[in-house]
Amino acid sequence: DTGVSQDPRHKITKRGQNVTFRCDPISEHNRLYWYRQTLGQGPEFLTYFQNEAQLEKSRLLSDRFSAERPKGSFSTLEIQRTEQGDSAMYLCASSPGTARQGYTFGSGTRLTVV
Amino acid sequence: GQNIDQPTEMTATEGAIVQINCTYQTSGFNGLFWYQQHAGEAPTFLSYNVLDGLEEKGRFSSFLSRSKGYSYLLLKELQMKDSASYLCAPTFSGNTGKLIFGQGTTLQVKP
């Protein structure tokens, strides 16, 4: 297992377009998190899955954002009708559920909306 | 919010020791993570404290005081590669285990 993978690494899109990002967590990790990070700030929590169930969504996640984890493995994050304010690094993290083992982050998808 | 507070920037000299402080609200607190993040890269796990006291791991140590809502990360024998952002992330009960990050402390190590 090579860790948490995210695809694509970079995405440039025009305002108003839809984009979808993918995250492949560490295979034995049942918890998956999405975060958004802008320059000079720490990551902000967006949403959380335990297996295939989406158990929490941040108020930051407007109705233009949707996330799925259909079989409890990989996850997708879709942003509809992108806005310039959506430009950020989108990070995925997975965890086995034992706090001391920590969370493993992917390298992120950098979104630029022009 | 959880009122996580850490300094925005710090500068230190190669070979020196630096302490990065973090304060947070104590209500519902479970444990606290420290992560390192180099520019343009993913955060990487440094430490997790749940009990009071100091935990040492090589050149890095992390301290926690649950009653004071205070933690610090201590970096010894600083190297140029330690220039990065250091993120304090407490966890709280009932929040699905998600990490709530502070804004991060950008550490610049100078020769």
Side-chain angles (χ1 to χ4, degrees):
Chain A
D1 196 342
T2 56
V4 178
S5 299
Q6 291 189 245
D7 183 70
R9 291 293 307 274
H10 303 276
K11 178 70 177 179
I12 301 174
T13 191
K14 291 184 178 179
R15 189 172 50 188
Q17 296 294 306
N18 300 343
V19 294
T20 300
F21 311 142
R22 177 180 170 122
C23 171
D24 287 88
I26 293 173
S27 57
E28 59 267 28
H29 286 185
N30 60 355
R31 296 187 176 194
L32 186 147
Y33 303 83
W34 284 97
Y35 287 82
R36 180 173 67 189
Q37 186 175 29
T38 52
L39 197 63
Q41 300 297 315
E44 296 173 296
F45 170 77
L46 292 179
T47 190
Y48 159 65
F49 289 86
Q50 183 156 333
N51 300 311
E52 66 274 11
Q54 187 175 21
L55 298 185
E56 186 173 352
K57 291 171 62 173
S58 165
R59 282 171 287 182
L60 292 174
L61 215 65
S62 75
D63 56 7
R64 296 185 297 106
F65 288 70
S66 62
E68 295 182 341
R69 194 183 183 194
K71 297 181 180 178
S73 56
F74 74 91
S75 176
T76 58
L77 177 68
E78 181 183 16
I79 309 174
Q80 296 183 325
R81 306 182 301 282
T82 52
E83 301 173 356
Q84 287 190 321
D86 298 331
S87 296
M89 175 74 85
Y90 290 83
L91 293 164
C92 174
S94 70
S95 165
T98 304
R100 185 161 287 278
Q101 294 174 277
Y103 301 69
T104 302
F105 282 84
S107 296
T109 294
R110 179 165 296 283
L111 173 67
T112 302
V113 182
V114 298
Chain B
Q2 279 72 29
N3 298 322
I4 303 163
D5 189 37
Q6 51 180 131
T8 305
E9 295 180 346
M10 297 183 74
T11 302
T13 304
E14 192 175 15
I17 299 173
V18 71
Q19 177 175 313
I20 302 173
N21 297 324
C22 173
T23 59
Y24 56 89
Q25 76 173 39
T26 57
S27 176
F29 174 77
N30 275 344
L32 187 142
F33 288 86
W34 282 96
Y35 276 79
Q36 179 190 59
Q37 186 176 27
H38 286 97
E41 298 182 10
T44 55
F45 172 79
L46 288 178
S47 67
Y48 176 66
N49 292 69
V50 65
L51 300 176
D52 285 349
L54 186 69
E55 291 204 10
E56 298 184 69
K57 193 185 297 183
R59 293 189 301 113
F60 291 10
S61 303
S62 55
F63 172 83
L64 180 69
S65 169
R66 296 180 67 95
S67 62
K68 294 182 179 178
Y70 169 67
S71 175
Y72 68 73
L73 182 69
L74 193 70
L75 291 75
K76 303 176 186 175
E77 301 169 16
L78 281 172
Q79 301 175 10
M80 298 299 290
K81 68 178 182 179
D82 297 329
S83 293
S85 181
Y86 291 86
L87 301 164
C88 168
T91 61
F92 299 88
S93 58
N95 71 350
T96 67
K98 68 177 183 280
L99 301 179
I100 308 295
F101 286 93
Q103 67 178 16
T105 298
T106 300
L107 173 67
Q108 184 177 16
V109 179
K110 293 186 173 179

